[in-house]
Amino acid sequence: MTRRDQPNELQQTFDQESLLHRMTKQIRRSLDLQEILTTTVSEVRLFLGADRVKVYRFDADGSGEVITESIHEQRLPCLLGQRFPADDIPEAAREMFLLAGQRSIVDVANEKIGLSPLQSKETGKRLETNIYYRQADQCHIQYLKAMGVQSSLVVPILDCDPQEPSAKPKLWGLLVVHHSEPQKILKRELKVLQQVADQVAIAIAQSNLLTEAQAKQKREATINRVTTLLHKLPTIQLQGALEEVITAFCGVGGRLYIAESQELYTWGDQPTLSYELDNSIIEQHSIWQNWMAEFQQGNIWATTDLYKEPRLRILALAFRSTQIRGLMVIPLHYREKFIGVLSIFRSEFETEILWAGRCEQNRRQRLPQLSFEVWRERKKGQAPEWKLEDILLGQALYDHFSMAIQQQQMYKQVQSLNTNLELRVQEQTAELEKSLMFTKVIKQVTEHIRRTLDLQATLQSIVREVRPLLNSDRVLIFYLKTKSVIVEEINGNWQSVLGVNPPPECFPDEYTHLYCQGRVLAINNLSTTSLSDCHREFLQSLQVQANLIVPINMGMELWGLLIAHECKAPRNWQDTEIDLLQQVADQAAIAIQQAQLYEQTSEAETEARNQAAQLEHTLHKLQETQTRLIQTEKMSGLGQLVAGVAHEINNPVNFIYGNLCHASDYTEQLLEILRLYQLHYPHPDSEIKAAIKAIDFEFLVEDLPKIMTSMQVGTERIRSIVLSLRNFSRLDEAENKRVDLHEGIDNTLLILQHRLKGNAELPRIEIIKDYGNIPLVECYAGQMNQVFMNIFSNAIDALEVGIREWHQGDKEKNSCQIPTIEISTKVSTDNSRLLIRITDNGPGMNEDVKKRIFDPFYTTKPVGKGTGLGLAISYQIIVEKHGGMMECISESGKGTEFWIEIPIKPPAKIVN
């Protein structure tokens, strides 16, 4: 035997984990079993460097088929789609694959087979992956040589039901590895291949669960559609319901026969009785009727080949002219009375099977090469198999059709009695109205089931609708699993039984068996009914004098009981009332099945939504944190800069301002001395005259006091600006305090004065103030100034954009519009909040922009002109810091208005 180059241990571990990771990821990503198997054989072949890897699936008869394979450069022949007879893999080998989990390795060159059991047959404990070699069967060796195989490895694939852990696994198929050259199988490869087979088993279980859930959902949808047609007023749509059922079963035809009225509803292909037979309707033939009499209530009969049934030997002649081959018969009963039969037909079809071999008798005695010549077996007259879900659907439809036909017959009986018995018109009319009312309640319950999947709400609605219709004192639903009452509806002052558990000895197991078989218990008078002492005492403790109990069955399992109690006095329960409660119980069973299916299918969606919500919450927190950090850094830098500039300007300005008064006085004194010189020396020297004329002495004397006055006004102006800068930064006010917000608005406008007064390109922006009589407001003054700064700056930017657009657009239309910012303040009517409105007559904004202006980092300004944080920070300051409200009102071409409300005195401490 040749030996492959061995990679180092780390690389081996990496390749193994990589393969298993890819397999697990593929199973989680896809529910398509064929796709998973195709990926599996490809990955395993690449991992082992094999020439062929295939998956072989067993059928019920022991034969099998290659359903997927991966071949390296066509070094071995393709077997995909070929079937192998049951005796190709003996039954004993299949049992070892299943019971011992045995893996087999065949060394064709040395004619040896290695067996690797998963667990000891004696102790049942898991064994190490040891391989025990023995001499291989010659037929097996020739079998492999015929395929060109020199080395083979087979690992079983088991199918386990995850919903029934105690159930025994089944041998689903084999994972087979073939080499065209001698190859030694390593222990680690055997271990990895077993792990891959385990992953494939998981994929098979998932695929089975999905298929089952889809079939159940489809079955429930069919039942709902049929129920709607059967309970459609005023006429039951039996023909439409029959067509819906035939379509659901993928049939080519069908019949609904009603025994009492001898009505026949048909659709699709139909059998035709020959003239020599007595009856023209097959359901009226004596052979058919005798056959129907043998059926027990609720039994369903189905066959894939009606010509092989002895009881249909004569009647099968009626089907000869059709392609019908498969037949399902659902006898309909109402309270053990045969009322009709529903038949579904399926057409025959032709199929072709590719057998790997010729399948002759004693084929193991022939040359193995013959096994791989494809033999095409053509089967005619085949019909689709009736599956378990078909039988379950038929059982569910049995009840609905039986009840619908019985209701239709009752309706016709009432009409007949009303026609022939005039004296009983009122009585029959009341009975009809009650029947229609029952149907209405059933419809309401059915519609409620369709509207909601909330099981508790649906069950509560059922007891709420049924109680007044029965005019009973109490209606409840008893859940068998918890052995307690889960919903109830009471009329009067009777005690509640919600959550009450009956004594165990009062509800023996034989009761469960009887109710599961459809038992209905009607007690008209508790005092005269034969009951156990325990049972009687329990009902008396609940104040019950008469009760009616119907089962809620889920298929063949009892889920619970629907119970009506009469507490005032004994009561004779009518058949119509029993029918109503039974129908409601059937609808409750549908609701429970739907709720369980919804719960299963919504678990994955709920988990995904929770993860998305968590990620969204984390992102939101991250954005808030980032915004706060930027805000803190920005305000800290801006405050320090403003305070520093104000401090640096304040010292020289104070020096100048303090000395201007002295300079003015000194100037006046010097000018007074000059006037005295002019008075006492009116004729100065010629040189002095020339100098006076050169400097325009008269103008200098007149203008110098004005200059001193202007300098004093300028220094006062600089001092007011410095004070505004200090007030705006508010570095000395870390806590909230009572301040005059008018002062903060004015200080902010003063800082922005250089942008408001205009220039050669932009006109002056007019400020209109409408200040109300407002009190001092307790707030963070510095942060409020920041809000005003952000809003005013955005308003000025918007007005400048509007002016530029005006210069480029229609000047005639906007020639009379002056850029304006209006500021209005007032107190709310309850004197608890301060209202501030800031409006501009700029270009405004559209709805999409307005929705996002408070989002962090969102801006409409060019790159480098804005950060998108101003309004987001302002919104955070007003809403989160001060417990207020901030809104924006704007339309394109109609300006923008910001509406701010903050409490005058916060109700609680403001949180940083």
Side-chain angles (χ1 to χ4, degrees):
M1 274 192 175
T2 61
R3 179 64 181 250
R4 289 165 294 185
D5 295 334
Q6 295 296 314
N8 58 53
E9 183 177 352
L10 180 61
Q11 182 64 36
Q12 294 174 7
T13 304
F14 175 78
D15 292 345
Q16 173 182 343
E17 293 181 353
S18 178
L19 173 63
L20 294 177
H21 174 73
R22 291 194 299 273
M23 288 297 304
T24 305
K25 184 178 179 181
Q26 177 68 21
I27 291 173
R28 292 177 178 172
R29 184 179 59 198
S30 173
L31 291 176
D32 186 342
L33 182 60
Q34 186 62 38
E35 179 182 351
I36 293 173
L37 294 177
T38 302
T39 303
T40 298
V41 296
S42 177
E43 293 286 353
V44 171
R45 189 188 62 75
L46 292 175
F47 174 74
L48 297 178
D51 293 327
R52 174 170 58 206
V53 176
K54 66 179 182 179
V55 173
Y56 181 85
R57 183 180 62 193
F58 288 105
D59 290 334
D61 60 357
S63 64
E65 178 184 1
V66 177
I67 61 174
T68 183
E69 71 175 353
S70 176
I71 303 175
H72 176 59
E73 297 180 352
Q74 305 301 319
R75 298 187 67 177
L76 290 174
C78 178
L79 301 178
L80 185 63
Q82 294 191 25
R83 301 179 62 85
F84 291 79
D87 55 357
D88 270 20
I89 300 177
E91 183 177 357
R94 294 198 297 269
E95 290 180 357
M96 291 302 296
F97 281 135
L98 176 61
L99 300 178
Q102 179 173 279
R103 288 80 57 90
S104 65
I105 307 99
V106 181
D107 182 356
V108 177
N110 295 321
E111 298 186 355
K112 290 185 178 181
I113 181 171
L115 303 178
S116 175
L118 290 177
Q119 60 185 17
S120 171
K121 296 178 63 175
E122 293 77 12
T123 64
K125 295 183 178 180
R126 189 177 185 89
L127 299 175
E128 296 295 330
T129 315
N130 295 324
I131 304 175
Y132 304 96
Y133 285 92
R134 62 171 173 78
Q135 198 67 27
D137 183 81
Q138 282 298 317
C139 183
H140 193 178
I141 296 299
Q142 293 182 19
Y143 191 89
L144 293 175
K145 286 181 178 180
M147 290 190 289
V149 176
Q150 290 295 316
S151 177
S152 170
L153 169 61
V154 180
V155 177
I157 301 174
L158 304 183
D159 180 12
C160 301
D161 189 351
Q163 295 182 331
E164 296 184 10
S166 60
K168 294 182 179 180
K170 300 177 182 178
L171 182 60
W172 184 87
L174 303 174
L175 180 61
V176 184
V177 180
H178 284 162
H179 295 275
S180 60
E181 297 179 358
Q183 194 78 40
K184 184 174 181 180
I185 304 300
L186 304 178
K187 293 182 179 179
R188 67 175 183 85
E189 294 174 341
L190 191 62
K191 180 179 180 182
V192 170
L193 213 59
Q194 182 60 55
Q195 291 174 332
V196 170
D198 293 341
Q199 292 296 322
V200 172
I202 294 174
I204 293 170
Q206 289 180 346
S207 178
N208 292 340
L209 288 176
L210 177 64
T211 303
E212 182 179 348
Q214 290 174 341
K216 189 173 183 180
Q217 186 178 18
K218 182 179 179 181
R219 185 166 64 251
E220 295 299 338
T222 300
I223 293 173
N224 286 338
R225 292 194 298 271
V226 173
T227 302
T228 301
L229 293 171
L230 292 179
H231 295 285
K232 194 171 184 179
L233 296 177
T235 304
I236 298 174
Q237 303 295 319
L238 290 175
Q239 180 66 38
L242 174 63
E243 296 176 9
E244 188 71 42
V245 169
I246 295 172
T247 303
F249 280 105
C250 300
V252 295
R255 302 160 67 91
L256 174 63
Y257 176 75
I258 302 175
E260 182 174 330
S261 61
Q262 296 186 350
E263 294 177 86
L264 178 65
Y265 298 87
T266 63
W267 189 77
D269 295 346
Q270 298 295 320
T272 304
L273 290 177
S274 57
Y275 291 109
E276 55 268 21
L277 297 178
D278 298 336
N279 304 89
S280 59
I281 298 178
I282 193 172
E283 286 83 1
Q284 295 177 352
H285 196 279
S286 58
I287 296 178
W288 182 279
Q289 292 181 349
N290 293 335
W291 185 36
M292 290 296 102
E294 299 176 4
F295 281 93
Q296 297 293 327
Q297 185 173 356
N299 285 356
I300 294 177
W301 182 87
T303 180
T304 57
D305 191 347
L306 59 89
Y307 298 106
K308 295 181 180 180
E309 293 299 323
R311 287 172 292 188
L312 296 178
R313 186 175 62 257
I314 297 177
L315 297 179
L317 298 174
F319 294 88
R320 287 294 184 186
S321 60
T322 70
Q323 295 294 316
I324 298 172
R325 178 75 63 167
L327 173 63
M328 175 183 282
V329 178
I330 307 175
L332 304 176
H333 297 82
Y334 184 78
R335 292 192 178 181
E336 300 183 357
K337 175 186 175 184
F338 176 75
I339 60 174
V341 61
L342 176 63
S343 305
I344 311 296
F345 308 141
R346 281 184 174 175
S347 177
E348 66 181 12
F349 63 90
E350 183 176 326
T351 184
E352 183 179 76
I353 302 176
L354 300 181
W355 287 101
R358 298 185 178 178
C359 302
E360 293 92 347
Q361 295 294 327
N362 300 320
R363 62 179 302 280
R364 290 175 64 86
Q365 305 302 322
R366 301 177 60 85
L367 291 177
Q369 287 85 345
L370 295 179
S371 297
F372 306 105
E373 295 179 5
V374 175
W375 173 57
R376 299 179 182 270
E377 178 185 7
R378 188 176 302 275
K379 291 187 176 183
K380 298 183 179 181
Q382 300 294 301
E385 180 184 358
W386 298 99
K387 299 181 180 179
L388 177 60
E389 51 264 30
D390 296 328
I391 303 301
L392 294 176
L393 177 59
Q395 290 174 343
L397 294 173
Y398 164 83
D399 294 327
H400 292 288
F401 272 94
S402 298
M403 288 187 291
I405 293 172
Q406 180 63 23
Q407 286 181 351
Q408 185 186 49
Q409 293 175 351
M410 289 177 58
Y411 181 77
K412 291 180 179 179
Q413 290 174 2
V414 170
Q415 286 185 323
S416 176
L417 290 173
N418 284 339
T419 302
N420 300 322
L421 302 175
E422 185 176 355
L423 296 178
R424 299 184 56 191
V425 168
Q426 294 181 351
E427 178 183 352
Q428 294 297 328
T429 302
E431 184 177 351
L432 177 61
E433 289 176 350
K434 192 171 184 179
S435 176
L436 293 176
M437 192 178 298
F438 288 173
T439 305
K440 182 178 179 181
V441 170
I442 297 298
K443 182 180 178 181
Q444 290 175 347
V445 172
T446 304
E447 290 177 349
H448 191 280
I449 292 173
R450 294 178 187 148
R451 287 196 305 266
T452 179
L453 291 172
D454 185 343
L455 179 59
Q456 186 69 19
T458 302
L459 297 180
Q460 188 64 55
S461 174
I462 289 174
V463 297
R464 184 172 58 250
E465 295 289 344
V466 170
R467 194 216 56 75
L469 196 60
L470 291 178
N471 193 24
S472 59
D473 297 323
R474 186 193 294 123
V475 174
L476 55 92
I477 292 179
F478 176 81
Y479 184 29
L480 185 63
K481 185 175 181 180
T482 60
K483 294 191 180 299
S484 64
V485 178
I486 56 175
V487 292
E488 68 174 356
E489 181 71 15
I490 302 175
N491 179 36
N493 296 324
W494 309 106
Q495 71 182 65
S496 172
V497 298
L498 201 62
V500 171
N501 299 90
E505 59 272 14
C506 295
F507 201 90
D509 293 339
E510 59 181 306
Y511 280 23
T512 304
H513 180 69
L514 293 174
Y515 284 125
C516 190
Q517 292 181 339
R519 172 195 184 187
V520 175
L521 178 61
I523 299 178
N524 297 328
N525 190 336
L526 182 64
S527 60
T528 60
T529 301
S530 176
L531 294 174
S532 66
D533 295 339
C534 171
H535 197 172
R536 189 186 308 277
E537 291 175 2
F538 174 68
L539 292 178
Q540 288 176 346
S541 68
L542 303 181
Q543 303 171 300
V544 176
Q545 296 198 42
N547 71 342
L548 175 61
I549 304 175
V550 297
I552 302 175
N553 287 319
M554 300 281 289
M556 303 302 293
E557 180 181 354
L558 178 65
W559 183 90
L561 302 173
L562 179 59
I563 306 173
H565 283 166
E566 194 69 23
C567 301
K568 295 186 295 291
R571 172 175 177 170
N572 291 325
W573 300 102
Q574 304 298 317
D575 289 344
T576 54
E577 296 170 339
I578 297 175
D579 292 339
L580 168 67
L581 216 59
Q582 183 64 63
Q583 293 178 45
V584 171
D586 294 336
Q587 294 299 323
I590 295 173
I592 295 166
Q593 291 174 339
Q594 289 180 343
Q596 290 176 348
L597 179 62
Y598 174 76
E599 181 180 0
Q600 294 173 0
T601 54
S602 64
E603 287 179 355
E605 181 183 1
T606 301
E607 182 179 355
R609 286 181 177 176
N610 291 338
Q611 292 177 353
Q614 185 176 1
L615 289 176
E616 183 179 0
H617 178 72
T618 303
L619 178 60
H620 180 67
K621 288 295 184 182
L622 181 61
Q623 289 178 337
E624 286 186 352
T625 303
Q626 188 177 19
T627 302
R628 289 196 181 105
L629 289 174
I630 294 174
Q631 173 196 357
T632 302
E633 185 66 24
K634 180 178 178 181
M635 287 305 299
S636 176
L638 179 61
Q640 292 177 3
L641 175 62
V642 170
V645 171
H647 179 72
E648 292 299 327
I649 295 175
N650 192 47
N651 289 336
V653 167
N654 284 340
F655 174 78
I656 295 171
Y657 181 77
N659 288 293
L660 274 177
C661 60
H662 300 297
S664 180
D665 292 341
Y666 297 159
T667 302
E668 290 292 337
Q669 293 173 5
L670 289 174
L671 291 176
E672 182 63 27
I673 292 174
L674 289 175
R675 282 194 293 272
L676 289 175
Y677 268 100
Q678 287 179 328
L679 179 64
H680 293 289
Y681 301 99
H683 305 287
D685 186 73
S686 59
E687 186 178 355
I688 295 175
K689 285 183 178 181
I692 290 174
K693 185 176 181 180
I695 66 173
D696 195 358
F697 179 74
E698 294 298 333
F699 175 76
L700 186 149
V701 170
E702 180 182 356
D703 193 52
L704 184 57
K706 295 180 181 179
I707 291 175
M708 298 302 295
T709 303
S710 298
M711 291 174 65
Q712 190 170 6
V713 171
T715 54
E716 290 178 351
R717 176 69 171 167
I718 294 173
R719 292 182 73 238
S720 66
I721 291 174
V722 170
L723 180 60
S724 297
L725 289 174
R726 292 185 60 196
N727 289 338
F728 177 79
S729 64
R730 295 285 185 173
L731 292 178
D732 55 341
E733 297 179 10
E735 299 295 331
N736 60 303
K737 58 184 294 185
R738 302 180 70 83
V739 297
D740 183 2
L741 288 184
H742 286 165
E743 180 183 348
I745 296 174
D746 293 338
N747 290 335
T748 306
L749 291 173
L750 183 60
I751 294 172
L752 295 172
Q753 187 64 37
H754 67 287
R755 299 190 63 188
L756 297 172
K757 65 183 181 181
N759 51 42
E761 297 181 359
L762 300 172
R764 178 181 61 84
I765 297 175
E766 183 177 353
I767 302 298
I768 301 176
K769 300 179 182 178
D770 181 16
Y771 288 171
N773 184 17
I774 66 173
L776 299 179
V777 179
E778 185 175 338
C779 64
Y780 291 96
Q783 294 184 3
M784 289 300 300
N785 289 342
Q786 183 188 4
V787 173
F788 299 143
M789 174 64 77
N790 289 333
I791 295 177
F792 289 144
S793 297
N794 285 342
I796 294 171
D797 291 340
L799 290 171
E800 290 177 352
V801 171
I803 293 170
R804 292 190 181 94
E805 291 177 353
W806 170 69
H807 281 296
Q808 299 173 0
D810 188 359
K811 297 184 179 181
E812 295 293 334
K813 183 177 180 181
N814 300 287
S815 59
C816 61
Q817 182 172 336
I818 300 174
T820 305
I821 297 176
E822 298 182 11
I823 307 165
S824 171
T825 62
K826 65 178 181 179
V827 180
S828 63
T829 54
D830 60 356
N831 296 323
S832 64
R833 303 174 74 82
L834 174 64
L835 313 179
I836 304 172
R837 295 173 60 242
I838 301 174
T839 308
D840 67 68
N841 59 351
M845 62 188 79
N846 58 39
E847 189 66 24
D848 293 336
V849 174
K850 189 178 74 171
K851 289 179 179 179
R852 300 186 60 190
I853 59 172
F854 295 125
D855 293 346
F857 307 108
Y858 176 76
T859 179
T860 59
K861 298 176 182 178
V863 177
K865 296 295 185 181
T867 62
L869 291 174
L871 290 179
I873 293 171
S874 301
Y875 185 86
Q876 195 175 48
I877 290 172
I878 296 299
V879 177
E880 297 184 11
K881 288 277 189 177
H882 293 86
M885 182 184 73
M886 184 175 182
E887 293 184 359
C888 175
I889 304 171
S890 180
E891 293 184 28
S892 295
K894 296 186 179 180
T896 302
E897 176 181 331
F898 282 93
W899 179 283
I900 299 174
E901 292 186 16
I902 61 172
I904 295 175
K905 183 176 178 61
K909 183 179 179 181
I910 299 177
V911 180
N912 286 322

